[in-house]
């Protein structure tokens, strides 16, 4: 009888096992069609949504509800711990099965050889993963000033951001830059005070620096339990609970969440109660709905206020960007990352909670922004897209408004750093990776068809009345791309032989599509190719990538600073161009005036005298403007661009039959004549410099900056260090990292950012001109 019972139980198990296997085979078969591309070397889970034995439906894996999507970025100063935090997030969400380390060069998001060698992030990397039923598209961004554009173009497509701070340093130079960028795009954010285990870490100092320097209102949602070596966990202020990580746990997955009790933690409970009451008062000041609730039901005792009500109010305040939630932890020591993930899903917005005005014009049709291009040897250009409305599928023909061309998406992928999973469709709110778009560049707006774009333009025109009639219809629909900063460094680049020049041109063309801040131009005098970049490191990385990815041993000339030129007085010039080409005579006479512009302007300010402007045709007007712009590209002193000039055209006599090219040439020649007659001034780029140095080495650093024509603004105290803030000409700061390392025995760090262009003094200007002419 007992053996019969055992047989029946076993038979039941066999049946259930058969059913489970059948289900798994079906799901595996459907997943096989997704073709995950997983290389050897890292241990990844198979697909977003398949964590352990948790098998979800295919549709929920690919297209979760919009309310459950979070598009977030991780941003910070260099070395605050962005990539380590990202690595821990991926590990705890189940997407990697081993903890990567920046020092070991095996992190998921730093996959370029240059990133792994230097231990810094150069390219932003997109990762898609799930956490407690939410789909999170996370982008790890660089912290180095040379790659500020990478941060800018990623923030453009994000709905929320996590600002990571070094708890021992608080707000640093690049933190201010990325915070300003997030303000510009109106992005709600939360703060994570990382490195709480580091010697010198101070929670109060970091919070105060956020309040003082970023002019933000920090909401303390957590308090640390211990600091520096004694840091062992955090207190959840909202729920009055403590989270302690087990010292025996190697990976930080095991932690205890216990309520704070009067018996066991009287001091901690008192601190937490005070912090919670202060938090409630702070949120009530910022949110009227919550204030009514607090004053009505819970005015006598704040302890009775439910955590859910407080969390809802904190979310409203965060989305309104009137305050920022602050959390703390140590990513390297695996503490505080899981509560950070919970805060991302709880307080940062979903795509439908961001208000994008242009969406109403598309009425559900496809509208997407291409925000990044990568080149893959096998697949060709890979274009990252943020889908604002509609749906993208493979083999879909799409229209590029910027390029005015139609292309076909051959394949659609889900981004996972350098790994990609092929998927059948993706809906609004998601970030997609597309294959097959050969002409799309960073900042292009993608729609379903040209007719869809025109229909949206008509709707936009009706909405905005007739006041925008002068704008072209396409311009109205362009999503704002990113402002590309002007390069400050340039150097020549040469291939190993003339036969390799086409290969170099191809490599540079591909790299320019990936990185819009890289400019390439041809020197008209020498015929050499000139690279223009954002800094020494930027050009060094480009040179290294050409060698590794395209197999070209190129030669770089010496780095040179991108100067500008201007004029100091008003001059007038006249020129006549008389040419006969074939049986046509081209005759143009120009009389114009060049003078300093009243306001600073990169492009020349063009004015037409009344007698000229009335009779001038549109084609002639464009020819004059083209001639002026081309003449101002090369100044008379160094051949640098001319800025801050105003050109007034007093007279223009054109012989019938004269081509527009001849008009442009005559105007250009006349302006060059005027610029040569004027008093000229060289403008040099001035950099904001911030040096963090210990007290012992402050004097030699200040003495060195004085030799470099530095202008010290202030010296701040940051914990045990001194922070020197000032301005230094870019020409004097080349190779500064090596000198600073030598002066301070490697203990100091510095950050640079372009401030503006300023006039050189006459002595420095004559020295520079003499050096350029080979006289000194």
């Amino acid at each position: 009888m007992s053996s019969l019972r055992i047989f029946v139980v076993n038979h039941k198990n066999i049946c259930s096992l058969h059913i489970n296997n059948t289900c798994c085979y079906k799901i595996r078969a459907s997943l096989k069609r997704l073709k995950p591309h997983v290389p050897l070397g890292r241990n990844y889970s198979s697909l977003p949504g398949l964590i352990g034995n948790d098998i979800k439906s295919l549709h929920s894996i690919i297209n979760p509800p919009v309310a459950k999507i979070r598009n977030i970025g991780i941003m910070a100063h260099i070395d605050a711990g962005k990539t380590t935090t990202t690595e821990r997030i991926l590990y705890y969400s189940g997407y990697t099965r081993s903890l990567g380390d920046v020092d070991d060069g095996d992190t998921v998001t730093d996959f370029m050889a240059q990133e792994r060698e230097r231990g810094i992030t150069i390219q932003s990397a997109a990762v898609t993963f799930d956490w407690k039923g939410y789909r999170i598209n996370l982008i790890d961004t660089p912290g180095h000033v040379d790659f500020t554009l990478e941060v800018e173009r990623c923030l453009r497509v994000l709905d929320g951001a996590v600002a990571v701070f070094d708890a021992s340093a608080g707000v640093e130079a690049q933190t201010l830059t990325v915070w300003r960028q997030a303000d510009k795009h109106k992005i709600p954010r939360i703060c994570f005070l990382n490195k709480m285990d580091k010697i010198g870490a101070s929670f109060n100092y970091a919070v105060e620096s956020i309040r003082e320097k970023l002019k933000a209102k920090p909401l303390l949602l957590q308090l640390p339990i211990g600091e520096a070596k004694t840091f062992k966990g955090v207190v959840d202020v909202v729920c009055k609970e403590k989270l302690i990580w087990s010292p025996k746990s190697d990976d930080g997955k095991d932690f205890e969440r216990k309520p704070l009790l009067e018996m066991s933690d009287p001091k901690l409970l008192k601190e937490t109660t005070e912090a919670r009451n202060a938090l409630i008062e702070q949120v009530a000041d910022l949110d009227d709905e919550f204030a009514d609730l607090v004053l009505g039901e819970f005015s006598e005792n704040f302890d009775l206020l439910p955590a859910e009500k407080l969390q809802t109010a904190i979310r409203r305040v965060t989305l309104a960007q009137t305050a920022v939630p602050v959390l703390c932890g140590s990513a390297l020591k695996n503490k505080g990352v899981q509560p950070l993930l919970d805060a991302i899903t709880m307080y940062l917005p979903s795509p439908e909670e961001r208000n994008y005005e242009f969406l109403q014009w598309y009425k559900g049709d496809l509208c997407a922004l291409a925000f990044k291009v990568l080149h893959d040897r096998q697949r060709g250009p890979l274009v990252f897209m943020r889908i604002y409305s509609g749906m993208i599928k493979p083999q879909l023909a799409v229209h590029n408004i910027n390029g005015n061309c139609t292309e076909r998406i051959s394949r659609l992928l889900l981004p996972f750093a350098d790994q990609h999973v092929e998927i059948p469709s993706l809906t609004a709110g998601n970030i997609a990776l597309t294959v097959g778009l050969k002409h799309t560049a960073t900042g292009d707006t993608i729609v379903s068809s040209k007719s869809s774009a025109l229909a949206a333009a008509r709707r936009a025109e009706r909405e905005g009345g007739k006041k925008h009639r002068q704008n072209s219809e396409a311009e109205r629909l362009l999503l704002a791309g990113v402002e590309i900063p002007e390069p400050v460094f340039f150097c020549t680049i040469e291939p190993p032989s003339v036969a390799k020049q086409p290969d170099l041109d191809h490599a540079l063309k591909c790299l320019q599509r990936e990185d819009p801040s890289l400019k390439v131009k041809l020197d008209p005098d020498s015929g050499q190719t000139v690279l223009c970049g954002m800094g020494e490191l930027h050009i060094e990385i480009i040179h290294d990538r050409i060698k590794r990815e395209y197999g070209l041993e190129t030669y770089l000339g010496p780095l040179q600073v991108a100067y500008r030129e201007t004029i100091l007085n008003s001059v007038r010039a006249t020129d006549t161009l008389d040419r006969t080409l074939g049986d046509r005579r081209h005759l143009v006479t120009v009389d114009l005036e060049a003078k300093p512009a009243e306001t600073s302007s990169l492009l020349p300010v063009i004015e037409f005298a009344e007698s000229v402007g009335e009779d001038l045709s549109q084609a002639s007007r464009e020819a004059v403007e083209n001639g002026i712009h081309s003449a101002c590209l090369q100044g008379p002193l160094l051949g640098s661009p001319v800025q801050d000039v105003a050109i007034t055209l007093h007279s223009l006599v054109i012989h019938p039959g004269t081509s527009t090219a001849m008009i442009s040439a005559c105007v250009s020649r006349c302006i060059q004549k005027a610029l040569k007659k004027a008093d000229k001034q060289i403008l040099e780029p001035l950099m904001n410099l911030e040096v963090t140095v210990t007290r012992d080495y402050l004097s030699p650093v200040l003495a060195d900056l004085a030799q470099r024509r530095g202008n010290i603004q202030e010296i701040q105290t940051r914990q045990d260090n001194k922070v020197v803030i000032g301005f230094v000409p870019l020409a004097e700061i080349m190779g500064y990292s090596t000198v600073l390392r030598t002066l301070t025995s490697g203990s100091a760090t510095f950050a640079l950012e372009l401030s503006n262009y300023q006039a050189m003094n006459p002595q420095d200007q004559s020295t520079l001109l003499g050096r350029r002419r080979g006289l000194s």
Side-chain angles (χ1 to χ4, degrees), residues 450-584:
K450 196 166 187 176
S451 57
S452 161
L454 293 172
R458 284 193 290 274
R459 286 188 207 110
E461 197 170 277
R462 283 199 298 273
E463 290 283 331
K466 308 299 176 191
K467 60 184 176 183
H468 298 297
R469 262 286 158 87
Q470 65 272 23
N471 293 358
S472 70
E473 287 181 326
E475 268 177 39
R476 304 285 315 288
L477 297 171
L478 295 181
L479 306 183
V482 290
E483 291 174 22
I484 298 166
E486 287 297 312
V488 290
F489 272 113
F490 66 93
C491 68
T492 56
I493 183 167
E494 292 183 4
S497 65
V498 178
K500 294 285 184 184
Q501 184 67 46
D503 296 339
L504 176 61
D505 292 343
H506 170 70
L508 290 173
K509 189 180 176 184
C510 291
L511 289 169
Q512 271 186 285
R513 275 188 70 195
E514 284 188 29
D515 180 3
S517 63
L518 171 70
K519 303 275 175 66
V520 179
K521 61 182 185 184
L522 206 65
D523 188 311
D525 299 326
S526 65
Q528 289 177 299
T529 305
V530 180
L531 280 187
C532 308
M534 301 307 299
E536 290 178 85
L537 181 63
H538 186 202
I539 287 180
E540 189 187 322
I541 296 289
I542 294 294
H543 183 226
D544 196 30
R545 287 188 66 190
I546 290 170
K547 180 182 174 182
R548 292 190 194 217
E549 294 172 28
Y550 298 93
L552 288 172
E553 280 284 356
T554 52
Y555 305 106
L556 284 185
L559 274 178
Q560 295 183 49
V561 175
Y563 292 101
R564 302 263 171 84
E565 297 178 31
T566 190
I567 57 173
L568 302 174
N569 61 332
S570 177
V571 284
R572 195 156 174 168
T574 307
D575 199 7
T576 301
L577 188 145
D578 190 355
R579 291 265 177 88
T580 303
L581 296 175
D583 56 350
R584 279 177 68 185

Side-chain angles (χ1 to χ4, degrees), residues 197-350:
D197 61 311
K198 188 178 173 182
I199 293 169
S202 168
F203 181 79
N204 292 335
Y205 169 77
V207 170
E208 198 54 41
S209 73
I210 290 170
R211 189 179 284 115
E212 291 293 319
K213 294 184 182 175
L214 300 178
K215 302 290 183 271
K217 292 178 180 170
L219 303 174
L220 305 188
L221 306 190
Q222 290 180 349
L223 296 174
I225 301 175
E227 285 180 352
K229 287 184 178 178
T230 60
F231 178 68
K232 57 181 180 178
V234 298
V235 173
D236 184 337
V237 173
V238 176
C239 301
K240 296 216 292 196
E241 293 174 335
K242 65 177 181 180
L243 285 70
I244 303 289
W245 273 261
S246 168
K248 295 175 186 174
S249 171
D250 292 334
D251 61 2
K253 273 191 175 177
D254 303 327
F255 64 94
E256 284 184 290
R257 185 184 277 271
K258 291 180 179 175
L260 287 171
L261 302 171
E262 185 72 52
M263 300 276 290
S264 53
D265 304 291
K267 189 180 176 187
L268 200 56
L269 179 62
K270 188 186 174 192
E271 278 180 36
T272 307
T273 306
E274 287 173 2
R276 189 175 193 265
N277 291 347
L279 177 66
I280 290 169
E281 287 173 11
Q282 205 176 351
V283 175
D285 284 344
L286 300 168
D287 186 82
D288 293 342
E289 187 183 330
F290 183 67
D292 293 342
L293 177 75
V294 170
L295 293 171
E297 295 178 45
F298 305 103
S299 56
E300 298 298 321
N301 189 355
F302 284 171
D303 291 344
L304 299 175
L305 181 73
E308 296 77 27
K309 300 275 188 189
L310 180 53
Q311 285 165 346
T312 307
I314 292 169
R315 178 179 174 80
R316 281 199 301 271
V317 165
T318 307
L319 298 194
Q321 296 163 60
T322 48
V324 286
V326 176
L327 298 97
C328 63
S330 169
L332 189 64
K333 294 288 190 278
N334 313 317
K335 294 183 175 99
V337 178
Q338 296 95 325
L340 174 64
L341 274 166
D342 292 335
I344 286 168
T345 57
M346 198 179 295
Y347 302 121
L348 291 180
S350 68

